[in-house]
Amino acid sequence: MTHIERNSLRRRSFIVGASATGLAFGYVAANGIKDALAAQSFGPTAWYSIGPDGIVTVMVGKAEMGQHVSSTMCQIVAEELEADWSKVRIALPNNDPKYNDPMLGALITGGSWSTRMNFETMSRAGAAGRITLIEAGAGLLGVPVGECRASNGQVIHSKTGKKVSYAKIVADGKASKTWTPDELKAIKLKTPDQYKLVGVAVPQLDIPSKTNGTAKFGIDTMVPGMLYGRPVMPPVRYGATVKAVDETEARKVKGYVKAVTLDDKTGTTSGWIVAVATTYEGAKKAADALIVTYDKGPNANVSDQTIIDEAKKLQASDAAGQLFVSQGDPAAAIAGAAKTVEAEYLTSINIHAPLEPMNATAYEQGGVWHVHTGNQFASRTGGIAAAALGVDPKNLVLHQYFMGGGFGRRLDADMVIPAVLASKAVGKPVKLIYAREDDMAMDFTRPLTYQKVKAGVDADGKLVGLQHDVVCAWPTARWGIPEFLTPAVDKKGPLDGFTVNGADFWYTVPNHKVRAILNELAQRATPSGQLRSVAPGWTFWAVESLIDELAHAAGKDPVDYRLAMLDGAGNNAGGAKKLANALRTAAGRAGWGSVTLPKNTGMGIACVSSQERATATWTACAATVEVNPTSGAFEVKKLNVAMDLGTVINPDGVKAQIEGSTLWGMSLALFEQATLKNGALQATNFGDYTPMRMSEMPELDISIIANNDPPSGCGEPAVTVVAPAIANAIFNAVGVRVRSLPITQAAVRTALQAKKT
Amino acid sequence: MLTLTVNGQQKQVDVENDTPLLWVIREHLQMTGTKFGCGAGLCGACTVHLDGTAVRSCQTAARDAVGKKITTIEGLTVGGKPHPLQDAWIAEQVAQCGYCQSGQIMQAASLLATNRDPTKAEIVAHMDGNLCRCMTYGRIQKAIIRAAADIRAKSGA
């Protein structure tokens, strides 16, 4: 996210003032203080408020999809605010720009950015609130401010022990203060030895409601008089148009209202229809009963192999693509190398399949459209909904909910389009729910990726030159937001950095080029999306497999080989040594080189700096895998994962994220594959798209390396490290290399047979 | 019009006989703790109890629930007292997105109703049909073991 223009907090003031429901605390643009102080525009909204009952409500602009980020944001504010954790509550804002992430300038959640980017802002917001409350509290106690401190929701006069609660200060109604940007900046934040909540595994605020059915997800929205809609999806992922709809049979369904053929001006969808009925079961029956004639459009002949063939053709052309990394002269270095290694790495199409299917509930009321749905990119999704309706975005409110899984799927906006257009067509509220089959068929997938690497090593086996080409659809370019693109180093225009992040690794390689190549055929046929970890999920598959191949070719230990390249020279100062430590930790915990493994069992290592170079979380994994040398069947026995993420806000929350993302990495590596055939994604439901089940879980050993560096993200990096560690373990077990994801028994068996002959 | 007994209360619902019980509970009765995940009996998010047995409500026709006791996640808390599994789910901080967890808890409750000291293998066998896309499986296992111990301790067994 280094290329997004960040709104500078230096231009923002922080104000504390009375509001309708207590005391409100929030950042405002420096020139907007007067306006903001007027009650109209400064409701109990931005950032947080305290009620006369002492309840602290933090407005969390980050999408809550299970990473407990809402609780984490509260924890950061509460630390500096000296709030009583039992009185802290989460509130979710709508898409009003006043709630935008101050760093990103939008309501967007992804990239494992949230904690890293909001830690200081939220800390200063909490601290400014505490100081304001101490001043007001001292006044109420009639004691000098300098003799007071705050703790656990109270202002305390240290000498006498006299106390006044935040609740009383709020009820008094006199606390008010405007902090200039300079004053805010001058606040001395706590040092780690003073932390009471940061670094403590306090209970996550969102969990209790998720054990008794009271947590509200978008799909739980109920609006009086609402109708229901189920989409009818075309027989290709993208490019179809509806020629005719026969409603004869659908009309026989009880409660059937109508079939709405979407005229989607945003181009997000193509060839979609919504069957509307008075009940969801009716909408579902009607959807099945509609007989639709389609023009399948230009992508009806595109399949996986078409995409791979096109990728190989593009990669073979020197004119294709743009450079993401260009250092030295790899072509010359490889030409003069003692030995060269070339390899192709592939990853399949993968789909998100969050357990809550896509859904949205929409209606118009008094000239304003309301859309209820859980979404990771409310700023864009609200805009898309408004564009689909042809209304001013100011007149569309997107109401936020907990998400039944996001994983990047809910960065997209498709689900709001059938909801708003169906509601407009029938003039009533419509709750639109994708059936699972609709959700899978129309996923914005992790793209199929093709990578070609060419490496040259010197007589000592040292990597002296590397060319790395990455060919795929460009998920982030599809958004059409220039700020999310990365300038090419060869000045050939912007590229989608979210297809090559990770390839700019922290190893010292003197001659190194990374080329990003857009596969336009794939881009048209399979609109792709951001799937948990995005690029590092495939770039490190190639890099960490290749590095292992080079280590073996040089007859060196794969851990030692990596450590030698993590020398911290030049641009790699700092980070490389942290990654080396994570690598040593995972290897050490696994007993690398010290344990005797059974026959046909191997240990593999990998280390990554996901997500982006500028936001790296230092992560390593040692995988222990047993392989049947005849059948190719294999079992992952254990994954040792080590992660250095600077300051840890909630150690148990971090551990939970590493557990989940590690298993995600293994699930993508072994169990999940979607194929494209005749322009259509073949996955239909959890019978043929099969994420890991409980019985498939290996033993996990997780090490968290916490220090006082700024916090970094933990929701995604482990996803990226597991696949190469497993492939490297399979090689160490039986001497065969698999270069395509997912790794299947058939692929291992084929490789074993090829080795024998 | 069908009469159903949900969490001890009689409910009249105007639905077709073949309407999946899931939609009756979620949309007609607006008890949204029971979740829709796949509509095909493949994920377990919609798990409820029929006469104490865990069933997939998306695969159960409304008419087949007539005359039986339907228990949903909302009915697992009795008299304001959470089920030991609900306490254990908090103690182990199981939920991530939380969407599958109603179904997970209902599925686990049917195990503990007949087996107060399940082995890990028994837990895996009983729970394997319940998908957790956040993959909180390790914590689910721990919470079930914790709840089972809690139930045994309270009963003096």
Side-chain angles (χ1 to χ4, degrees):
Chain A
M1 189 72 324
T2 49
H3 308 288
I4 287 254
E5 190 191 344
R6 290 169 183 168
N7 294 359
S8 173
L9 276 176
R10 280 176 299 179
R11 289 183 283 111
R12 290 184 165 225
S13 298
F14 189 82
I15 63 175
V16 181
S19 74
T21 57
L23 203 57
F25 304 71
Y27 282 97
V28 290
N31 56 3
I33 294 173
K34 271 187 191 168
D35 293 342
L37 281 173
Q40 286 283 316
S41 62
F42 190 63
T45 51
W47 300 87
Y48 63 95
S49 62
I50 306 179
D53 50 2
I55 296 292
V56 178
T57 305
V58 181
M59 190 63 81
V60 180
K62 290 293 150 190
E64 180 56 76
M65 47 196 157
Q67 73 287 46
H68 304 308
V69 67
S70 53
S71 198
T72 300
M73 293 296 128
C74 290
Q75 213 173 331
I76 297 168
V77 170
E79 174 67 67
E80 290 286 349
L81 183 62
E82 288 287 348
D84 174 351
W85 185 244
S86 70
K87 293 190 171 167
V88 181
R89 305 285 184 269
I90 298 162
L92 306 178
N94 62 33
N95 61 328
D96 190 317
K98 71 185 172 189
Y99 302 118
N100 283 354
D101 183 310
M103 299 293 277
L104 294 165
L107 280 157
I108 181 169
T109 307
S112 296
W113 297 326
S114 302
T115 303
R116 167 185 291 270
M117 289 192 184
N118 289 276
F119 183 69
E120 186 176 345
T121 320
M122 296 300 247
S123 294
R124 290 200 184 277
R130 181 194 71 231
I131 296 166
T132 307
L133 287 161
I134 290 175
E135 288 170 1
L140 284 175
L141 292 170
V143 297
V145 173
E147 294 175 6
C148 291
R149 65 191 167 85
S151 181
N152 210 32
Q154 295 179 313
V155 174
I156 301 160
H157 183 232
S158 302
K159 278 187 189 168
T160 60
K162 281 202 283 187
K163 295 171 185 174
V164 59
S165 69
Y166 286 1
K168 276 196 182 141
I169 297 169
V170 170
D172 178 59
K174 293 197 188 75
S176 170
K177 182 162 178 160
T178 300
W179 294 78
T180 66
D182 286 342
E183 287 169 337
L184 258 189
K185 205 179 152 194
I187 294 175
K188 200 163 172 280
L189 295 177
K190 288 185 182 181
T191 50
D193 57 299
Q194 296 171 312
Y195 287 154
K196 295 172 178 173
L197 285 173
V198 168
V200 178
V202 295
Q204 307 288 1
L205 297 176
D206 56 318
I207 285 185
S209 70
K210 293 174 177 177
T211 66
N212 57 22
T214 58
K216 288 287 177 240
F217 299 85
I219 202 169
D220 300 330
T221 303
M222 298 290 168
V223 179
M226 72 184 182
L227 302 176
Y228 288 85
R230 183 208 161 175
V232 180
M233 299 307 193
V236 294
R237 173 63 187 84
Y238 195 81
T241 46
V242 175
K243 305 300 287 180
V245 184
D246 179 351
E247 297 177 82
T248 312
E249 291 302 311
R251 285 199 190 98
K252 296 173 186 168
V253 174
K254 191 183 169 193
Y256 177 67
V257 176
K258 73 188 289 187
V260 180
T261 302
L262 303 189
D263 175 17
D264 179 1
K265 292 187 169 55
T266 72
T268 308
T269 66
S270 66
W272 293 23
I273 296 165
V274 179
V276 182
T278 54
T279 63
Y280 187 68
E281 60 271 20
K284 206 161 180 296
K285 270 189 189 172
D288 291 337
L290 287 171
I291 298 165
V292 187
T293 314
Y294 295 94
D295 174 343
K296 291 187 184 177
N299 304 316
N301 59 350
V302 180
S303 298
D304 280 354
Q305 196 56 50
T306 329
I307 292 173
I308 294 168
D309 292 345
E310 176 72 7
K312 287 184 179 180
K313 200 175 89 190
L314 288 164
Q315 191 277 330
S317 162
D318 288 340
Q322 295 130 278
L323 293 181
F324 178 60
V325 173
S326 181
Q327 193 171 328
D329 186 348
I334 291 165
K339 194 172 175 182
T340 59
V341 174
E342 281 189 46
E344 294 175 333
Y345 298 95
L346 283 145
T347 66
S348 75
I349 293 176
N350 286 108
I351 62 179
H352 301 77
L355 209 52
E356 180 194 6
M358 295 304 108
N359 65 84
T361 302
Y363 55 94
E364 186 265 350
Q365 195 173 48
V368 175
W369 276 89
H370 294 268
V371 181
H372 294 252
T373 192
N375 196 270
Q376 291 176 243
F377 196 174
S379 303
R380 177 174 179 270
T381 297
I384 294 266
L389 286 164
V391 303
D392 187 331
K394 283 179 190 156
N395 292 327
L396 188 138
V397 182
L398 197 75
H399 298 268
Q400 184 67 291
Y401 288 82
F402 283 161
M403 280 154 237
F407 316 117
R409 178 64 182 88
R410 288 185 157 88
L411 284 165
D412 259 296
D414 53 299
M415 72 298 287
V416 301
I417 291 164
V420 298
L421 293 182
S423 175
K424 188 180 179 184
V426 299
K428 286 186 176 166
V430 170
K431 179 170 179 173
L432 183 286
I433 306 172
Y434 292 20
R436 175 56 59 189
E437 292 78 5
D438 310 330
D439 189 279
M440 286 199 174
M442 292 296 146
D443 191 62
F444 287 82
T445 68
R446 169 155 121 171
L448 189 157
T449 69
Y450 170 81
Q451 297 176 79
K452 178 81 185 279
V453 294
K454 195 170 180 186
V457 295
D458 67 15
D460 293 332
K462 188 170 173 262
L463 178 57
V464 291
L466 176 61
Q467 288 178 330
H468 183 178
D469 294 334
V470 182
V471 195
C472 61
W474 283 8
T476 310
R478 187 176 54 76
W479 284 348
I481 304 173
E483 288 82 359
F484 278 100
L485 299 176
T486 304
V489 295
D490 54 358
K491 317 275 186 217
K492 285 169 78 178
L495 58 84
D496 188 342
F498 296 93
T499 66
V500 280
N501 280 317
D504 53 346
F505 47 60
W506 292 74
Y507 294 126
T508 296
V509 178
N511 303 286
H512 184 201
K513 274 189 184 169
V514 177
R515 189 163 56 137
I517 302 172
L518 167 64
N519 188 338
E520 284 181 14
L521 178 89
Q523 186 83 345
R524 282 196 303 271
T526 57
S528 60
Q530 294 73 15
L531 184 137
R532 196 175 191 176
S533 82
V534 203
W538 56 82
T539 55
F540 280 116
W541 164 240
V543 168
E544 285 301 290
S545 294
L546 173 74
I547 296 298
D548 228 62
E549 298 198 44
L550 298 177
H552 288 292
K556 304 224 163 120
D557 175 271
V559 171
D560 294 342
Y561 190 79
R562 285 176 170 80
L563 289 173
M565 286 200 295
L566 292 171
D567 59 8
N571 286 344
N572 295 325
K577 292 298 182 187
K578 290 178 191 178
L579 186 54
N581 277 334
L583 176 61
R584 287 190 195 96
T585 304
R589 292 282 302 178
W592 182 268
S594 68
V595 295
T596 307
L597 295 168
K599 196 165 185 280
N600 299 318
T601 297
M603 199 182 282
I605 197 86
C607 63
V608 300
S609 51
S610 307
Q611 291 298 109
E612 300 145 53
R613 220 182 132 89
T615 64
T617 297
W618 316 104
T619 309
C621 176
T624 305
V625 181
E626 184 184 357
V627 187
N628 180 314
T630 311
S631 71
F634 59 95
E635 187 187 353
V636 178
K637 309 294 262 189
K638 188 169 184 178
L639 297 171
N640 294 83
V641 176
M643 188 181 281
D644 173 350
L645 64 162
T647 297
V648 169
I649 312 300
N650 189 317
D652 188 60
V654 166
K655 188 159 178 279
Q657 281 303 292
I658 301 175
E659 289 165 2
S661 54
T662 298
L663 296 180
W664 250 76
M666 180 167 149
S667 190
L668 288 169
L670 307 186
F671 305 128
E672 299 185 35
Q673 176 172 22
T675 55
L676 189 78
K677 194 177 166 191
N678 300 328
L681 289 169
Q682 298 300 297
T684 60
N685 208 317
F686 292 117
D688 55 9
Y689 195 85
T690 53
M692 179 188 284
R693 299 269 174 175
M694 186 184 277
S695 58
E696 295 163 325
M697 191 180 66
E699 186 183 349
L700 292 183
D701 173 76
I702 289 161
S703 306
I704 298 169
I705 303 168
N707 51 46
N708 293 331
D709 287 348
S712 66
C714 63
E716 298 174 288
V719 172
T720 70
V721 77
V722 177
I726 291 173
N728 295 340
I730 290 171
F731 183 85
N732 283 336
V734 290
V736 299
R737 175 68 57 183
V738 179
R739 298 187 183 86
S740 184
L741 289 182
I743 305 167
T744 61
Q745 178 185 345
V748 176
R749 187 173 57 232
T750 303
L752 283 163
Q753 284 163 354
K755 187 186 160 205
K756 274 181 200 155
T757 54
Chain B
M1 199 67 85
L2 298 177
T3 303
L4 299 175
T5 308
V6 186
N7 300 330
Q9 292 191 331
Q10 298 246 313
K11 306 273 187 186
Q12 302 277 325
V13 285
D14 182 14
V15 298
E16 306 273 287
N17 280 337
D18 65 350
T19 297
L21 182 59
L22 168 67
W23 299 112
V24 177
I25 293 169
R26 277 191 55 78
E27 303 297 334
H28 293 269
L29 299 175
Q30 303 199 354
M31 300 168 71
T32 54
T34 303
K35 298 304 186 199
F36 164 53
C38 71
L42 295 166
C43 78
C46 68
T47 303
V48 300
H49 294 176
L50 270 193
D51 286 342
T53 304
V55 299
R56 307 298 191 228
S57 64
C58 75
Q59 299 298 296
T60 306
R63 72 168 164 261
D64 293 336
V66 173
K68 294 184 177 161
K69 286 182 194 159
I70 303 163
T71 309
T72 70
I73 186 74
E74 290 90 349
L76 204 59
T77 300
V78 180
K81 199 167 167 288
H83 188 283
L85 280 165
Q86 293 173 305
D87 288 335
W89 242 248
I90 293 172
E92 295 291 346
Q93 296 279 285
V94 174
Q96 288 189 23
C97 90
Y99 194 78
C100 74
Q101 300 295 351
S102 294
Q104 301 279 0
I105 291 170
M106 295 309 287
Q107 181 74 14
S110 75
L111 172 66
L112 296 190
T114 56
N115 183 349
R116 295 192 305 173
D117 195 7
T119 63
K120 195 179 157 190
E122 286 170 335
I123 291 171
V124 171
H126 186 83
M127 301 299 296
D128 214 31
N130 285 66
L131 184 67
C132 175
R133 188 50 164 149
C134 304
M135 301 188 186
T136 63
Y137 301 125
R139 289 174 186 238
I140 289 172
Q141 287 176 0
K142 283 184 193 167
I144 294 172
I145 290 165
R146 176 190 281 262
D150 182 35
I151 290 168
R152 291 195 306 276
K154 277 178 186 154
S155 68

